[in-house]
Amino acid sequence: MIKVFGHKAPDTDSTGSPIIWAWYLSEVRKEPAVAVLQGEPNTEAAWMLSKWNLPKPEIIADVAAGDKCVIVDTNNPAELPASINEADVIEIIDHHLLAGGVKTRLPINITIRPLACTATIMFDLMGEEAYARAPKAVKGAMLTCILSDTLEFRSPTTTAHDRWVAEKIAGDLGVSIPAYATEMFAAKSDVSAFTEEALLRMDSKEYELGGKQLRVSVLETTAPQVLLDRKGALMAAMPAVAAADGADEVLLFVVDILNEEATLLVPNDFVRQVAEKSFNATVTGDTVVLPGIMSRKKQIIPALAV
């Protein structure tokens, strides 16, 4: 059985894309496959599973030597199971930069395209005939992934093709994109049940900057004040989270989906220096608003400097 999985701390795309591709492998290619996760899905991803009556995939801690695996929505070893290079990786489908470091036993199919969402790539790879065969739940997962990764087409990562695919799927499902996205983002914004530590890890990536290991965390929301009201507790939790995860600092960006801006929490002089040098900002307190900043992949990570 082929295991299909995305990155640690699975967001909507890393929850939905394994489901989509496991269906395609099993039903179209006739290669039995199962979607698995590296952690609990976030609130929006959990909402997607409930909305489309999709069972939550099994959560795995690692892979074993010889396990057949397909990696989706990442190619970064830091975001993959510890034993990934002992497994038998047979395919990678991703839309992030090529990180390097994954070893394979044989030549494999690797598809990395500059699109906003892995699900968009999967739509293209499976072709019209297979897409037409997909059950509504799989199409619903595809739509949710694309709207999530593009923030309903607000993110600068959005391409015309992402929009076209989303609009086609929405039309096939009879779904109003604005109404559907409003439901999605409401689910994404409901973080009342999460501890500060969980929020800091919910949607985060590891990144090295100036010899320091960073955990760059993003929380996308339509209700940023709910999170900013917890900024004291969030900043107080950062040192312990960084230490536990082998990082030097945690950078937390609260992305306001509707106003299209990010607020960076500034707990110390290092983060202040990063904010001022990276975003040409002037920091006068423990937060700084960054107008137009929406995408970690395209606007935050490439800009980081010390």
Side-chain angles (χ1 to χ4, degrees), residues 149-173:
D149 269 8
T150 64
L151 296 177
E152 195 192 357
F153 314 133
R154 294 176 176 88
S155 172
T157 62
T158 308
T159 69
H161 189 54
D162 290 294
R163 180 188 285 268
W164 180 87
V165 172
E167 290 175 345
K168 173 176 175 49
I169 298 170
D172 292 344
L173 293 172

Side-chain angles (χ1 to χ4, degrees), residues 7-305:
H7 54 70
K8 296 175 182 177
D11 57 8
T12 302
D13 197 19
S14 263
T15 302
S17 286
I19 292 171
I20 295 162
W21 206 244
W23 170 82
Y24 175 72
L25 290 173
S26 297
E27 300 300 324
V28 179
R29 289 190 184 173
K30 303 302 180 184
E31 300 173 17
V34 61
V36 296
L37 300 178
Q38 292 193 82
E40 288 289 341
N42 69 13
T43 52
E44 185 185 72
W47 174 86
M48 172 187 69
L49 297 176
S50 175
K51 179 77 173 181
W52 295 101
N53 196 28
L54 289 162
K56 185 175 79 172
E58 176 190 355
I59 296 174
I60 62 169
D62 202 353
V63 291
D67 279 355
K68 286 192 173 182
C69 302
V70 173
I71 299 168
V72 303
D73 195 32
T74 186
N75 67 86
N76 186 348
E79 299 177 343
L80 293 170
S83 304
I84 191 63
N85 284 338
E86 298 173 26
D88 187 6
V89 177
I90 61 173
E91 188 169 22
I92 298 173
I93 306 171
D94 191 17
H95 65 124
H96 296 92
L97 59 81
L98 181 63
V102 176
K103 295 181 180 178
T104 63
R105 299 176 183 278
L106 296 168
I108 67 169
N109 289 319
I110 300 179
T111 305
I112 301 176
R113 294 180 181 173
L115 294 167
C117 183
T118 309
T120 306
I121 301 171
M122 290 178 172
F123 174 91
D124 294 340
L125 291 177
M126 68 174 57
E128 291 184 13
E129 183 179 345
Y131 165 78
R133 291 173 51 188
K136 283 187 176 181
V138 169
K139 293 178 180 177
M142 295 177 78
L143 176 63
T144 313
C145 290
I146 298 170
L147 294 179
S148 177
D149 269 8
T150 64
L151 296 177
E152 195 192 357
F153 314 133
R154 294 176 176 88
S155 172
T157 62
T158 308
T159 69
H161 189 54
D162 290 294
R163 180 188 285 268
W164 180 87
V165 172
E167 290 175 345
K168 173 176 175 49
I169 298 170
D172 292 344
L173 293 172
V175 168
S176 162
I177 285 179
Y180 188 78
T182 297
E183 282 190 72
M184 284 175 51
F185 297 152
K188 185 196 289 279
S189 302
D190 181 9
V191 296
S192 56
F194 291 87
T195 65
E196 283 73 25
E197 292 80 4
L199 290 173
L200 292 173
R201 293 185 173 104
M202 183 176 289
D203 185 0
S204 63
K205 302 283 187 183
E206 298 177 16
Y207 184 72
E208 183 178 349
L209 178 67
K212 286 186 176 287
Q213 294 295 326
L214 305 182
R215 177 169 289 283
V216 184
S217 301
V218 171
L219 292 172
E220 299 163 342
T221 178
T222 55
Q225 195 58 46
V226 172
L227 288 164
L228 295 176
D229 285 345
R230 297 172 65 177
K231 70 178 180 180
L234 286 164
M235 289 191 292
M238 287 177 178
V241 168
D245 295 354
D248 296 298
E249 296 283 351
V250 176
L251 272 60
L252 175 61
F253 296 81
V254 178
V255 173
D256 184 335
I257 296 170
L258 300 181
N259 289 319
E260 301 187 18
E261 63 185 21
T263 299
L264 171 62
L265 273 58
V266 185
N268 55 42
D269 285 342
F270 174 79
V271 178
R272 177 189 56 77
Q273 178 185 349
V274 169
E276 292 183 341
K277 189 159 186 181
S278 304
F279 304 103
N280 194 28
T282 300
V283 181
T284 57
D286 58 8
T287 62
V288 59
V289 176
L290 306 172
I293 299 299
M294 302 280 285
S295 169
R296 175 175 46 209
K297 180 173 66 174
K298 195 165 185 177
Q299 295 174 304
I300 294 175
I301 292 291
L304 290 180

